[in-house]
Amino acid sequence: MKLKLILAAGLLTTLSACGGGGGLFNRERPDEFAVSRQAPLVIPPDFALVPPAPGSPSSNAVDSSKAAMEAMFGGPAQRSATETSTLNAAGRANAAAGIRSTAGDPGTEVVDKGATTRDIIAAPEGDGQDARAATPQ
């Protein structure tokens, strides 16, 4: 009986929404003709652009690869005294200029430390409670 009463109330509520004028959910609706037009969006001028100074090199004369590296990594920055002393203590003067290219070269000779070292490096992070490593005999 309760189910029939709930269904009947739901049906009446749904049908009253279809009626025009004095239905159950009669409310004020917005007047679509009272809406005013908004001004169109305008892109503001870019004040960061300035005309080139007389005597400055044209944009065609700039090396694009150097400009790209400058944009990605920035130019040479001043290092703090702490960073400079740390680099000097690490032997910055003794490092080869192209060491990163040499280390990544497929022809670089490396020592195979075996599967155990690979497994230790690939082990998941954690507190070591569940870590296990077996050394082959």
Side-chain angles (χ1 to χ4, degrees), residues 1-80:
M1 187 66 174
K2 271 186 167 180
L3 182 63
K4 289 182 182 179
L5 186 61
I6 291 173
L7 286 175
L11 183 61
L12 284 175
T13 304
T14 306
L15 288 176
S16 68
C18 296
L24 182 63
F25 296 108
N26 190 13
R27 58 177 160 67
E28 289 293 322
R29 288 167 179 74
D31 183 12
E32 63 270 10
F33 298 108
V35 177
S36 64
R37 291 196 175 268
Q38 297 290 330
L41 294 176
V42 177
I43 299 174
D46 188 3
F47 294 110
L49 295 176
V50 294
S56 65
S58 67
S59 60
N60 296 340
V62 176
D63 182 19
S64 60
S65 63
K66 185 176 180 181
M69 294 299 280
E70 181 83 19
M72 288 191 309
F73 302 111
Q78 285 286 17
R79 300 192 187 276
S80 67

